[in-house]
Amino acid sequence: MLLSEAVELATSLAADAFAARFPDPMLLSLGPIEVLEDGVTFATPTSGLEVKKREKEKLPGGKGRSVFEETWKDVDPQTLLAMLSGDATQPIIKAVSERPAPSPHVIFVTKSNRNPFLMMVTVGRTGNNDIVLDDITVSKVHGYFVKHPGDRWTLHDQRSTNGTFVGDKKVPLEGLPIADGQRVAFGNHHAFRFHTARGFHAHMRKAGR
């Protein structure tokens, strides 16, 4: 679902009606995201590609920024590999900067029938996850959400290569609690804002005042 569609519904429906329509939490994309559609496959190396920042170098319009810091949010795997191999050039940066911004999406933290893990909503690169992120820096089974009594949620890392994050904290195996509206991230390209339906509804109504 596009974020614009969710915003329209949140501003047109009462809180109870919106929560009844969307009982599961929502992830609002804060950067490029490609969600694997049913039936689509892609290469799955044993683990996610580890990404590290390169040495600082001067770029046009900036002092001491690295190519990675300048472009990481908008880089596809092919361009990323070129950057890591030392082939990053100004034309690559120019192509990234001129790429149209993707439409923000909403992903629901919903249990699917693609795996037997009933107590968790898994996130990863392969198609048997509940939330599938088509990204080489995301591990096959990267992490998972767990619901607790009182509509509380925790996020757990599953020994991923590039880490799972809640806010600015790296998530351990035992997990971290997630607050409504908090930022979560998987690997190097996928950052989201976590909202319950009521939290998103309240935020949109407040923003529209």
Side-chain angles (χ1 to χ4, degrees):
M1 171 182 281
L2 292 177
L3 176 57
S4 57
E5 296 173 330
V7 170
E8 182 177 355
L9 288 169
T11 54
S12 63
L13 296 175
D16 288 345
F18 186 80
R21 184 161 182 172
F22 303 110
D24 297 318
M26 312 161 76
L27 298 178
L28 315 184
S29 63
L30 300 178
I33 176 168
E34 302 231 353
V35 180
L36 184 69
E37 300 293 342
D38 289 342
V40 177
T41 59
F42 50 89
T44 55
T46 302
S47 61
L49 173 69
E50 185 175 6
V51 177
K52 297 181 180 179
K53 290 187 178 181
R54 297 179 60 194
E55 293 298 320
K56 299 285 185 179
E57 59 183 88
K58 290 184 179 180
L59 294 172
K63 295 182 179 180
R65 290 175 294 173
S66 70
V67 172
F68 184 81
E69 289 171 331
E70 179 73 11
T71 63
W72 75 270
K73 293 191 300 181
D74 303 311
V75 173
D76 55 46
Q78 289 74 29
T79 303
L80 180 61
L81 290 172
M83 292 169 62
L84 294 174
S85 66
D87 296 331
T89 61
Q90 182 60 27
I92 288 180
I93 298 172
K94 185 173 184 292
V96 169
S97 64
E98 291 180 350
R99 182 179 305 152
S103 299
H105 281 71
V106 173
I107 297 176
F108 294 97
V109 184
T110 302
K111 186 64 199 172
S112 71
N113 59 2
R114 293 193 289 271
N115 61 66
F117 310 119
L118 299 180
M119 302 304 293
M120 60 183 71
V121 179
T122 64
V123 181
R125 196 175 69 249
T126 55
N128 60 339
N129 285 283
D130 301 303
I131 299 173
V132 182
L133 303 178
D134 185 354
D135 185 339
I136 199 170
T137 72
V138 173
S139 297
K140 284 187 173 182
V141 181
H142 195 99
Y144 56 92
F145 293 90
V146 175
K147 185 177 182 179
H148 302 273
D151 204 25
R152 295 180 297 106
W153 289 81
T154 53
L155 179 58
H156 302 251
D157 184 76
Q158 187 57 36
R159 298 183 175 86
S160 66
T161 301
N162 291 303
T164 304
F165 301 86
V166 172
D168 59 356
K169 295 181 180 178
K170 191 170 184 178
V171 176
L173 290 175
E174 59 269 24
L176 287 175
I178 318 169
D180 209 321
Q182 198 161 24
R183 180 185 183 275
V184 299
F186 305 91
N188 298 84
H189 301 148
H190 298 285
F192 306 89
R193 192 75 65 192
F194 177 92
H195 275 294
T196 63
R198 291 186 180 276
F200 178 76
H201 185 275
H203 180 70
M204 288 299 102
R205 287 299 182 96
K206 183 178 179 180
R209 289 177 183 174

